Amino acid sequence: MSDFSENEKNILKSSPLLNHLSDENYQAFMKISTRSIFGKGHILLKEGELNDAFFIIVSGTVGLYKNENTTSAPVLIGTLTARETIDEMRVIQNCTCALTVIAIETTVVLQTSISKLHTLENHQGHDAIVTSVIQIISDRLLHSNETILNHIYEKKRKNKQILGVLFGVLVLFIFLCEVGLGLYDTLNPTHFCNHLNSLSAESTKVGL
């Protein structure tokens, strides 16, 4: 805990994972945590591997990468910055890492051992952390739902725009056809007169 500067401690205390902890639980959590620095390009977690650590970013930025298949390179799906947690879900169920996490720049983190957090002497701190993790997951799910809804709305809006453009093109095409026919009749008076005569003949037949 003494490795962190006062400014870094303030950042950690205001993080979503720790800002609800009592002083006692906060102190207990900090005792099993360490300060780590990862240089640009260093891997914090690797998708599919077991790892006992989870992190809170103190400064810097990390990229979240997901493998679409075994043959292509991992795809960047997001980034995390100061005060955000990395792979906190494994506090509840310590399974293999869901994503590969790589430092985009020099990044300072608080690193905590999940197995130490699960020890009996830290059970109160563990329960408090689990409560915070559940709240973080809930907030992220809510944000994800809002993002999905916004995406659906944006897609519908774009579809309406496309239909509007197509309709406009169709109207313009019909208008240009009518203008073209009008010009053709104007530039070909003989054809126009024959057309009028045919209409007059048809009218006469109808009258008879």
Side-chain angles (χ1 to χ4, degrees):
M1 181 174 175
S2 58
D3 293 338
F4 292 99
S5 67
E6 286 302 316
N7 181 55
E8 289 176 338
K9 290 176 184 177
N10 290 333
I11 291 173
L12 289 170
K13 285 181 180 179
S14 63
S15 68
L17 189 68
L18 303 180
N19 62 2
H20 300 299
L21 298 186
S22 65
D23 288 340
E24 181 183 357
N25 288 332
Y26 175 79
Q27 297 296 334
F29 179 78
M30 295 299 288
K31 284 181 181 178
I32 61 171
S33 303
T34 57
R35 183 180 187 272
S36 299
I37 301 177
F38 293 89
K40 180 180 179 180
H42 285 200
I43 298 175
L44 286 73
L45 297 171
K46 193 169 184 179
E47 182 180 354
E49 292 186 356
L50 285 170
N51 195 301
D52 188 48
F54 75 100
F55 309 88
I56 301 175
I57 301 174
V58 179
S59 63
T61 306
V62 300
L64 308 177
Y65 296 83
K66 183 69 177 177
N67 286 317
E68 292 186 340
N69 52 61
T70 56
T71 58
S72 61
V75 177
L76 177 66
I77 62 172
T79 58
L80 296 175
T81 56
R83 295 181 176 83
E84 296 187 280
T85 52
I86 302 173
D87 227 7
E88 70 286 338
M89 287 186 65
R90 291 187 300 109
V91 171
I92 299 174
Q93 184 178 13
N94 190 13
C95 53
T96 58
C97 300
L99 300 170
T100 295
V101 182
I102 303 175
I104 294 178
E105 58 183 341
T106 299
T107 301
V108 178
V109 299
L110 175 144
Q111 181 172 337
T112 305
S113 166
I114 295 173
S115 57
K116 286 183 180 180
L117 187 62
H118 287 173
T119 58
L120 289 177
E121 61 182 355
N122 295 314
H123 70 282
Q124 290 182 341
H126 171 264
D127 292 345
I129 290 295
V130 168
T131 300
S132 294
V133 167
I134 292 172
Q135 183 61 49
I136 291 172
I137 294 172
S138 176
D139 291 342
R140 286 184 177 175
L141 285 174
L142 179 61
H143 176 71
S144 296
N145 289 338
E146 290 176 349
T147 301
I148 291 171
L149 289 174
N150 289 335
H151 178 71
I152 292 172
Y153 172 78
E154 183 66 18
K155 189 174 181 179
K156 287 182 177 179
R157 187 181 66 82
K158 288 183 177 179
N159 288 339
K160 287 181 179 179
Q161 287 180 339
I162 292 172
L163 289 174
V165 170
L166 291 175
F167 179 75
V169 170
L170 178 61
V171 171
L172 179 61
F173 175 76
I174 294 172
F175 173 75
L176 290 176
C177 287
E178 291 180 349
V179 171
L181 288 173
L183 288 174
Y184 178 77
D185 287 336
T186 302
L187 296 174
N188 295 271
T190 303
H191 175 77
F192 181 68
C193 291
N194 292 335
H195 180 65
L196 289 178
N197 291 332
S198 64
L199 289 177
S200 299
E202 289 179 2
S203 299
T204 303
K205 292 179 181 180
V206 172
L208 294 175

